[in-house]
Amino acid sequence: MAAESYAVIGGDDSGRSATMSSSLLERLKVQDAEAWRRLVRLYYPTVRTWCSRSGLQFDDAADTAQEVFRVLAGKVGRFQRDGGKNSFRAWVWGITKRILIAHWRRQKKQLAGAGGSAAQQWLAEVPESVVEEPSAAEVLSERNQILRRALVLLRAEVEERTWNAFWRVVVDGHAPGVVADELGMTLNSVYLAKARLLRRLREEFGGLIDLLPDVETHS
C-alpha cells in the first residue's frame, strides 16, 4: 500500500477554516486534510523504515505504517511540544514502537497456537523484542531526511534563488561565499535567504521537525 493511500487521513475538509498562516501542527489538530497530506509526506518514509527495520515484510510494513497514521490522527491533539523539550519524531517513534510490539506479540501467539516444528523453530529464533531503538546515527539521519522533505514542501512558496541559496548552503554544505558567487548574489543576500527560509520552516513546521544545529548557524 503506497504512501498516497494515506492522503485522505484526517477526515473531510471541515478543517479548512484553519488559516494557512497557522502552523502545520495547529492545522493537524483541527483535522485539515491538506495538513495531513503534508504530514504523510514528511513522516511516512521514516515510519515505513522503522517498520521494515523491525523485520516486517513489504505488505505488513505498509499495513503497520497505516495503523500508525490512524493512531496519530486520533492522538495528535494531545501532543505538547513543552517548550521544545518533546520531539515530534520521538513521539511518533513511541507510537510506532508500541504498534510494532503489539504486532509481533500477535504473531507469536498465532504461531504458538498453530504448533508444529516449523512454528516452534521460528518462535525460538525470534528475540523477546524485535523492535530496537534507533541509534544516534540513525536518529541524526532521520532528522536530516525529514528536514529535506520539509524543504521540498516549501519550494513552491519561495523565490527560486532563495530556495537554491538555502539548499546549497544548508543541505549541500557549501560555503556561503561560494554559493553567492555561483548564484550571482551578495554574501549578505545568501544569509538573508537562509534566514527567510529558516523562518518559514519554523512557521510551517514548528513543533514537527527538529532543526539540526548547523541549520541554526548564522540564522
Side-chain angles (χ1 to χ4, degrees):
M1 196 175 299
E4 287 77 3
S5 63
Y6 306 120
V8 296
I9 245 173
D12 58 26
D13 288 346
S14 60
R16 291 287 179 182
S17 58
T19 66
M20 289 303 291
S21 61
S22 63
S23 71
L24 182 60
L25 179 57
E26 292 306 311
R27 302 199 306 277
L28 289 170
K29 290 179 178 181
V30 296
Q31 299 298 311
D32 178 71
E34 180 57 33
W36 279 101
R37 293 186 186 97
R38 285 198 155 201
L39 183 71
V40 168
R41 290 186 66 183
L42 274 180
Y43 274 94
Y44 178 82
T46 300
V47 172
R48 182 63 178 272
T49 296
W50 291 335
C51 294
S52 297
R53 190 186 294 152
S54 78
L56 295 184
Q57 298 301 312
F58 185 88
D59 289 341
D60 285 339
D63 289 343
T64 303
Q66 183 178 24
E67 178 62 20
V68 169
F69 279 93
R70 285 199 193 100
V71 173
L72 283 175
K75 292 182 177 292
V76 70
R78 305 176 198 173
F79 174 72
Q80 297 293 330
R81 185 66 169 159
D82 192 20
K85 296 178 182 178
N86 297 330
S87 162
F88 190 80
R89 187 211 63 83
W91 186 67
V92 175
W93 160 246
I95 291 172
T96 306
K97 180 179 178 179
R98 288 192 291 274
I99 291 173
L100 285 170
I101 289 173
H103 169 86
W104 285 113
R105 284 175 178 168
R106 287 194 302 271
Q107 290 289 97
K108 294 187 79 170
K109 285 182 179 178
Q110 289 171 4
L111 281 171
S117 58
Q120 293 304 317
Q121 181 180 352
W122 187 89
L123 284 169
E125 293 174 353
V126 174
E128 285 301 311
S129 175
V130 294
V131 184
E132 298 180 356
E133 296 288 333
S135 67
E138 287 168 340
V139 169
L140 183 62
S141 176
E142 290 164 4
R143 290 172 64 189
N144 204 340
Q145 291 165 11
I146 292 168
L147 175 60
R148 285 171 179 251
R149 291 193 287 269
L151 285 168
V152 170
L153 286 170
L154 291 182
R155 183 167 190 171
E157 301 179 16
V158 297
E159 182 185 22
E160 183 73 10
R161 195 161 65 161
T162 297
W163 192 90
N164 284 335
F166 186 96
W167 188 273
R168 295 284 284 158
V169 171
V170 173
V171 179
D172 293 338
H174 294 287
V178 172
V179 174
D181 290 340
E182 289 178 348
L183 299 180
M185 302 168 67
T186 66
L187 182 59
N188 187 56
S189 295
V190 171
Y191 283 128
L192 285 174
K194 180 179 178 180
R196 289 191 189 105
L197 196 42
L198 182 58
R199 182 173 62 250
R200 185 70 188 102
L201 276 168
R202 291 194 183 107
E203 289 171 351
E204 175 66 357
F205 301 110
L208 295 178
I209 63 174
D210 303 313
L211 294 177
L212 302 174
D214 58 338
V215 175
E216 301 282 5
T217 306
H218 302 302
S219 62

